[in-house]
């Protein structure tokens, strides 16, 4: 991961099995957000939907890739 410079950073995790529910929650509020926030939230929902599909595929293949890591700064 890149060094955050002077920024305060955090590493977060999310169980991959919850990615679809998170995407659904973000999509549900998009119409209530300011346009600049809705764009970011919409992109995040797309990424979580992708992660949900990836998790489903790994489960079907018998693998346990079950954690999503985030780098916040």
């Amino acid at each position: 991961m890149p060094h955050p410079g002077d920024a305060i950073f955090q590493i977060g995790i999310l169980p991959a099995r919850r990615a679809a529910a998170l995407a659904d929650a973000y999509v549900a509020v998009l119409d209530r957000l300011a346009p600049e926030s809705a764009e970011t939230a919409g992109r995040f929902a797309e990424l979580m939907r992708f992660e949900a599909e990836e998790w489903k595929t790994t489960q079907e293949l018998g693998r346990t890739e079950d954690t999503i890591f985030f780098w916040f700064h």
Side-chain angles (χ1 to χ4, degrees):
M1 291 186 212
H3 187 277
D6 293 336
I8 296 173
F9 68 94
Q10 296 181 6
I11 296 173
I13 59 170
L14 175 75
R17 70 181 179 281
R18 297 180 59 200
L22 184 59
D24 292 342
Y26 270 76
V27 169
V29 300
L30 285 177
D31 62 338
R32 292 182 265 169
L33 298 174
E36 61 275 6
S37 298
E39 182 178 343
T40 301
R43 180 68 181 128
F44 186 74
E46 289 174 18
L47 293 170
M48 288 299 101
R49 185 74 59 212
F50 172 81
E51 292 295 340
E53 291 299 318
E54 287 293 305
W55 178 76
K56 183 178 175 184
T57 299
T58 63
Q59 295 297 298
E60 292 167 358
L61 296 173
R63 297 192 325 241
T64 57
E65 298 170 11
D66 58 357
T67 303
I68 301 168
F69 292 89
F70 296 91
W71 176 267
F72 295 106
H73 64 96

